[in-house]
């Protein structure tokens, strides 16, 4: 995972702050970032669940 610059991280934090909304336009780096920010939020966190599913599909080769 490439480490995004601070401006990108700040933008991603703002865009993913609401756990009730699914993240849009995911790529692998952004999905991993969201996973790290929302880890521990549980099954009600749409940000975490969507990013997790994205990474799982990528790992499975789909």
């Amino acid at each position: 995972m490439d480490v995004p610059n601070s401006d990108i991280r700040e933008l991603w934090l703002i865009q993913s702050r609401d756990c009730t909304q699914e993240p849009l336009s995911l790529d692998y780096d952004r999905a991993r970032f969201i996973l790290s920010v929302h880890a521990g939020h549980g099954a009600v966190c749409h940000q975490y669940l969507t990013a997790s599913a994205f990474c799982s599909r990528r790992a499975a080769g789909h």
Side-chain angles (χ1 to χ4, degrees), residues 5-25:
N5 66 46
S6 61
D7 291 339
I8 296 296
R9 287 193 310 269
E10 186 66 28
L11 177 64
W12 288 353
L13 279 171
I14 291 167
Q15 291 174 336
S16 69
R17 69 178 163 220
D18 185 353
C19 290
T20 65
Q21 299 294 315
E22 292 185 10
L24 303 174
S25 304

Side-chain angles (χ1 to χ4, degrees), residues 19-38:
C19 290
T20 65
Q21 299 294 315
E22 292 185 10
L24 303 174
S25 304
L26 284 179
D27 61 21
Y28 184 70
D29 288 337
R30 185 170 178 205
R32 296 286 300 165
F33 177 84
I34 290 170
L35 288 175
S36 69
V37 170
H38 290 269

